[in-house]
Amino acid sequence: MRPFEDSPISRDGKVLILAYDHGLEHGPVDFEAVPETMDPEVVWDVAAHDAVSGFAVQKGVAEAYYPSYEDDVNLLAKLNGTSNLWMGEPDSAVNWTVDYAAELGADAIGFTLYGGSNHEIEMAEEFRDAQEKAREHDLPVVMWSYPRGQGLKNDKDPQTIAYAARQALELGADVAKVKYPGSPEKMEFAVNAAGPTQVVMSGGSKTSDRDFLETVKGAIDAGAVGLAVGRNVWQRENPAEFLDALEAVIYEETSVEEALSRV
């Protein structure tokens, strides 16, 4: 496993990944709350905030914008993704190679695995190829570990989320992005299941400032190293100020009240 301390997407051993792969995964609906975020350059500017340790985007957005931001943003190349138009069993197309991402200047790669899907075996084999190629380029690997499929009854069950974290370890991910299971105690269980693989909380749908910061605080207190977030930052009218608050909770480990004073 790649040492996390010297990871290019780590800041003082913590992580704040800003994700902007939603245009592919969810479609334009995710930009309706703040219409200007349909323009990728707006969110690239947000990603230049000091709190953001990595910016996760798909190939086309990286090709079009990263050359102008390479001095200000750490690029996390999200290798796979599928549109919300797809109605079949959960799967995710591999849209670019690790070699091409490295050539473009990526600092890390990201890969979604839907554990429990009928396509899990194929996706795990695709992850194997990406993970081993990433090792050749000395790039850290972040797994979006999302149990999902027709045989899965509850993807928010703490046992399921802990299994997702463990699956990331077993398959060789350096960082596992998992859903928050509802409490610090349950999150600690997932963190322990992941062993040396670092765990970050998935941001999910937008909630209030306080509710979201309290959830992030719970995850950090449970041993998570940070957060991978999209809508809960760039769907806000004040994304820079909210990143100030997240910076306080994640890197400084302040109270939620102190963090809210920065919004």
Side-chain angles (χ1 to χ4, degrees), residues 11-207:
R11 171 181 151 188
D12 300 327
K14 299 293 180 66
V15 173
L16 200 169
I17 295 167
L18 185 64
Y20 186 64
D21 56 341
H22 300 66
L24 175 62
E25 295 282 356
H26 302 162
V29 66
D30 270 6
F31 309 127
E32 290 177 355
V34 185
E36 56 266 31
T37 60
M38 178 81 84
D39 179 359
E41 191 164 11
V42 169
V43 185
W44 279 93
D45 288 339
V46 173
H49 191 288
D50 286 344
V52 177
S53 62
F55 188 40
V57 294
Q58 291 280 349
K59 177 172 66 174
V61 175
E63 283 183 328
Y65 294 94
Y66 181 63
S68 299
Y69 287 87
E70 59 184 350
D71 294 332
D72 303 309
V73 174
N74 292 325
L75 175 62
L76 196 164
K78 186 62 169 55
L79 296 187
N80 62 344
T82 301
S83 80
N84 206 29
L85 303 172
W86 168 253
M87 300 302 291
E89 183 72 359
D91 201 356
S92 196
V94 179
N95 300 314
W96 47 330
T97 65
V98 175
D99 284 340
Y100 186 65
E103 180 182 337
L104 194 62
D107 298 286
I109 68 163
F111 198 100
T112 295
L113 180 77
Y114 294 127
S117 166
N118 288 341
H119 300 294
E120 178 187 332
I121 291 175
E122 177 186 349
M123 295 183 74
E125 291 172 347
E126 292 167 345
F127 177 80
R128 173 202 63 206
D129 294 342
Q131 189 263 1
E132 292 179 2
K133 181 60 70 170
R135 292 291 181 253
E136 293 179 15
H137 290 282
D138 196 28
L139 294 175
V141 180
V142 182
M143 179 187 285
W144 274 235
S145 193
Y146 289 164
R148 192 174 296 174
Q150 65 182 11
L152 191 68
K153 295 180 180 179
N154 182 5
D155 66 353
K156 297 180 181 179
D157 181 82
Q159 288 283 346
T160 300
I161 292 172
Y163 203 155
R166 185 68 184 202
Q167 193 168 27
L169 165 65
E170 298 285 346
L171 296 182
D174 301 296
V175 179
K177 178 189 178 192
V178 301
K179 294 183 178 181
Y180 187 68
S183 74
E185 294 75 22
K186 295 172 183 176
M187 189 67 173
E188 185 177 10
F189 180 50
V191 169
N192 290 340
T197 292
Q198 306 298 311
V199 173
V200 298
M201 185 191 95
S202 174
S205 301
K206 184 184 173 186
T207 61

